[in-house]
Amino acid sequence: METFNKNNGLCSSCGLCSIHTWPVEQSVKSCVFNNGWLGEREKKLFGRERSLSDPVEMRFGITLDRVTAQLKKPVAGAQWSGIVTHMAVRAFEEKLVEGVVSLQHTPGHHFFSQPLLARNSDEIYSTRGNKPVLSPVLYSLESAYRHGMKKILVIGAACHLHTLRDFQERFDYLSEMEILTIGIPCVDNVARSKWPWILERMSQSPDTACHLEFMQDFRIHIRHNDGRVEKIPFFSLPEELSDPSIFPPACMSCFDYLNSLADITVGYIGARLLPEQKRQWLLVRTETGRKLLNLIKTELEYFPESGKWECSSFVKNTSKRIIESMKGVNKEYATTRKIPLWLGQMLAGLLAMIGPKGIGFAHYSVDFHLIRHYYYVKFRSPEQLDKLVPKHVRVILTEYGLPL
Ligand SMILES: Cc1cc2nc3c(=O)[nH]c(=O)nc-3n(C[C@H](O)[C@H](O)[C@H](O)COP(=O)(O)OP(=O)(O)OC[C@H]3O[C@@H](n4cnc5c(N)ncnc54)[C@H](O)[C@@H]3O)c2cc1C
Ligand code: SF4
Ligand code: SF4
């Protein structure tokens, strides 16, 4: 899949520039890395930007409702309980949409993706599961346009939905289409050329790995073909995985972890992690999002939101280290583990007990990443700061007393 390396090299390979039905220059005009995150886009969708005096809205974005739930009958093979996939199937069955713009796994590869315009329930079902690599979701807009579809659902990460919303408004091609959106939270995505190298350094058995997630218990969970789950504490990863250059510059310049322009964001990060459960955390942002949730509301088991909001001491303890690690342009990284596995397991166990949980963990994770990304951009391309960084990021940095 062709990518377009504009915007000072920032490109998340969202798929729009691979479309040939309209000029690539038009696609690039709508690119989030050209236009920046949130700001006017958020205002156009909600009639206002997020409040800079509301600490929750600054982190989670504008919402109508937050819901913690899981499907009573989980979708086999989905990333979590499969709320995204089931919601998409129900939207199609109820004729809210004629097709779903999403991704399939590349045949024979658990982690790689290929774009798909799903046009029946089986095809929608085949889009389930994560593909932890940059993915050309928007490429299938071309097929939807050529088929003359009038109502579609797009499932994507924040870069997809920013660029999509801008393109739909800026140009005529999709202006007649009603586009519903389901967003996934997204962070630490990787380029597929780097994926084998990264997986080999995370897992003791990369060839059998089929499912991977960064979890709220401070460990990476890697499921293998035989059902075994390998749990690696973040603290015991090889030091070379701390090198910011293993992530695409686009993802290190990303400031919308929780996908604030989606009609509904479906993640897990603010839900409690409990054995044998697949609780998910949903941010309903628009009336369309509410309509999508209503399609499956009787099939969900609900839970109260959990955890304490406060996590500032935890963020403060790590912020100095994050800033230092972002300074290290061209630094050499060791191939050895940061700390031994047994010690990492103890530390992860301790932090899972005393550290932030539920919405506190979501708060911590959002702040950690926005601090990391602010300084990544500041130390590498300070001239991009004004364009890329949304206003709330500076307010949050100031809350922690961090230099701008
Ligand atoms: C790189 C990455 C990082 C993530 N980090 C977090 C996180 O930190 N916190 C959190 O709460 N959630 C995160 N998620 C989202 C989370 O893993 C689940 O996708 C989400 O909770 C939905 O679960 P589900 O069972 O409803 O999904 P499913 O029903 O399995 O559906 C998942 C949908 O997401 C689509 N998808 C998968 N990979 C991509 C991709 N690369 N780009 C665009 N669309 C994709 C699939 O095609 C499918 O339509 C991340 C996802 C990715 C890809
Ligand atoms: S992120 Fe998408 S719109 Fe932007 S340059 Fe890359 S392919 Fe084009
Ligand atoms: S981290 Fe951000 S830029 Fe990268 S794929 Fe996810 S949403 Fe897009």
Side-chain angles (χ1 to χ4, degrees):
M1 186 69 48
E2 165 191 344
T3 62
F4 213 76
N5 205 14
K6 283 271 172 95
N7 317 310
N8 283 333
L10 296 181
C11 170
S12 62
S13 307
C14 77
L16 199 65
C17 290
S18 301
I19 292 177
H20 297 301
T21 300
W22 48 76
V24 73
E25 292 74 19
Q26 294 187 342
S27 297
V28 172
K29 273 215 167 83
S30 284
C31 181
V32 63
F33 300 104
N34 224 348
N35 300 321
W37 297 93
L38 301 164
E40 279 302 304
R41 272 286 122 226
E42 187 169 58
K43 195 166 172 185
K44 283 190 170 141
L45 182 63
F46 299 101
R48 67 178 179 91
E49 290 184 49
R50 64 188 63 194
S51 162
L52 299 182
S53 54
D54 179 341
V56 179
E57 197 168 278
M58 274 198 289
R59 272 79 178 190
F60 298 169
I62 297 173
T63 57
L64 299 175
D65 205 0
R66 299 201 301 263
V67 176
T68 306
Q70 65 184 24
L71 274 175
K72 290 175 198 163
K73 287 192 196 148
V75 175
Q79 188 68 11
W80 287 86
S81 79
I83 288 179
V84 170
T85 304
H86 192 54
M87 214 180 247
V89 170
R90 292 289 298 118
F92 179 78
E93 286 172 351
E94 290 300 318
K95 303 201 177 353
L96 292 185
V97 297
E98 299 154 82
V100 177
V101 167
S102 183
L103 303 165
Q104 267 179 331
H105 284 113
T106 306
H109 204 298
H110 292 297
F111 297 107
F112 285 6
S113 62
Q114 59 187 33
L116 178 73
L117 172 67
R119 298 175 68 193
N120 58 51
S121 301
D122 285 346
E123 284 180 355
I124 300 171
Y125 185 68
S126 78
T127 63
R128 69 202 187 282
N130 264 11
K131 296 90 183 170
V133 290
L134 295 183
S135 292
V137 171
L138 298 186
Y139 180 67
S140 301
L141 288 175
E142 184 172 48
S143 315
Y145 172 73
R146 289 197 168 164
H147 281 105
M149 287 187 175
K150 293 282 175 260
K151 296 180 290 183
I152 60 165
L153 173 70
V154 177
I155 303 172
C159 53
H160 301 121
L161 298 195
H162 269 73
T163 302
L164 167 69
R165 291 212 187 271
D166 189 275
F167 188 81
Q168 191 187 21
E169 189 196 276
R170 198 184 286 262
F171 302 105
D172 284 341
Y173 308 101
L174 311 178
S175 59
E176 304 282 291
M177 246 185 224
E178 190 189 344
I179 303 185
L180 286 59
T181 54
I182 302 178
I184 53 166
C186 183
V187 77
D188 295 340
N189 210 344
V190 300
R192 43 195 87 192
S193 58
K194 288 248 168 85
W195 177 255
W197 185 90
I198 292 173
L199 188 60
E200 273 165 28
R201 278 150 188 82
M202 283 181 184
S203 174
Q204 287 173 343
S205 173
D207 291 342
T208 59
C210 58
H211 182 283
L212 177 144
E213 193 89 75
F214 287 73
M215 302 291 277
Q216 306 97 311
D217 62 357
F218 302 91
R219 295 174 174 99
I220 300 172
H221 291 200
I222 304 173
R223 199 166 66 231
H224 293 271
N225 292 336
D226 59 3
R228 182 175 59 90
V229 180
E230 188 183 359
K231 297 183 181 175
I232 320 290
F234 301 160
F235 319 102
S236 298
L237 288 169
E239 204 200 308
E240 57 191 330
L241 290 182
S242 311
D243 181 353
S245 73
I246 67 168
F247 296 114
C251 296
M252 293 299 288
S253 312
C254 175
F255 290 93
D256 189 23
Y257 183 0
L258 296 184
N259 215 327
S260 314
L261 303 185
D263 290 309
I264 183 166
T265 302
V266 182
Y268 63 89
I269 190 90
R272 260 185 95 186
L273 175 65
L274 291 168
E276 310 306 324
Q277 295 207 359
K278 295 185 173 197
R279 291 187 187 186
Q280 295 191 247
W281 189 59
L282 285 63
L283 302 167
V284 184
R285 302 192 181 279
T286 67
E287 287 305 332
T288 303
R290 187 141 29 216
K291 200 168 12 166
L292 286 167
L293 180 60
N294 282 343
L295 292 171
I296 60 164
K297 69 176 180 196
T298 57
E299 299 172 76
L300 293 174
E301 184 182 4
Y302 295 89
F303 306 94
E305 201 169 60
S306 63
K308 292 199 181 75
W309 173 252
E310 180 50 38
C311 64
S312 57
S313 59
F314 210 68
V315 177
K316 278 184 186 149
N317 282 340
T318 46
S319 55
K320 204 167 156 218
R321 184 179 52 76
I322 308 170
I323 297 172
E324 280 308 308
S325 67
M326 288 305 105
K327 275 187 189 156
V329 185
N330 300 327
K331 190 180 147 194
E332 293 282 314
Y333 291 86
T335 54
T336 46
R337 290 190 189 280
K338 287 186 271 188
I339 56 173
L341 266 177
W342 65 268
L343 188 57
Q345 296 289 13
M346 274 177 60
L347 197 55
L350 181 71
L351 288 177
M353 264 192 312
I354 61 165
K357 293 175 199 55
I359 55 161
F361 188 83
H363 177 185
Y364 162 73
S365 194
V366 168
D367 287 5
F368 173 96
H369 287 99
L370 67 80
I371 293 170
R372 189 181 76 170
H373 295 180
Y374 181 85
Y375 290 101
Y376 177 89
V377 179
K378 185 178 161 84
F379 294 138
R380 283 160 186 77
S381 34
E383 74 290 350
Q384 298 262 49
L385 278 177
D386 283 346
K387 180 174 80 179
L388 289 177
V389 178
K391 295 186 194 97
H392 70 276
V393 171
R394 289 191 173 83
V395 178
I396 293 172
L397 295 174
T398 309
E399 261 180 30
Y400 290 116
L402 297 172
L404 294 179

